[in-house]
Amino acid sequence: MSERFKPKLPLKEITTFALSAFALYSISLLAFPKELKQQVRKEQKGVCADCGEKPKKLEIHHIIPQSMGGPDTKDNAVGLCPNCHQEWDELAKKGVFFKKKK
């Protein structure tokens, strides 16, 4: 193997770093625990909390985004259809947050 293509770190360290980075990326995609997502979908009977449509799969939205310190809790979760989820994500970036109906 040419010196030019030799990794500067041992393979074990590179593999550990790559797996750690992948694990963090995967966790960020699965923000809410699976059980919490299922609970929200069940309580809302699969219906979007904003428009009232019943999509194939209700997406779980952070009312206060994680990037703004929003936790992965039921109080900060609401089920939305894909269109409303996208709309509320954009609104949240502007500081407008979804309010649950009582």
Side-chain angles (χ1 to χ4, degrees):
M1 180 187 266
S2 164
E3 285 293 312
R4 184 175 174 194
F5 295 106
K6 275 191 175 178
K8 293 183 181 182
L9 294 172
L11 184 58
K12 182 178 179 183
E13 288 183 34
I14 293 170
T15 304
T16 303
F17 173 78
L19 289 174
S20 298
F22 178 75
L24 288 172
Y25 176 74
S26 297
I27 289 168
S28 69
L29 291 177
L30 303 172
F32 290 108
K34 184 178 179 181
E35 297 78 23
L36 181 85
K37 290 179 182 181
Q38 291 172 336
Q39 183 181 13
V40 171
R41 290 182 182 117
K42 184 178 178 181
E43 287 178 5
Q44 290 185 211
K45 298 178 178 144
V47 175
C48 176
D50 192 25
C51 72
E53 295 292 320
K54 192 169 185 177
K56 287 184 181 181
K57 188 168 186 181
L58 205 58
E59 297 179 358
I60 310 306
H61 169 71
H62 281 89
I63 296 170
I64 299 172
Q66 288 180 298
S67 62
M68 295 179 176
D72 295 335
T73 62
K74 188 176 173 215
D75 290 338
N76 194 41
V78 63
L80 300 172
C81 70
N83 291 335
C84 289
H85 193 183
Q86 184 176 1
E87 182 180 335
W88 280 103
D89 279 345
E90 292 302 315
L91 288 169
K93 290 175 189 173
K94 298 175 184 174
V96 179
F97 305 117
F98 185 87
K99 291 190 181 182
K100 289 186 180 183
K101 297 172 184 167
K102 296 188 181 205

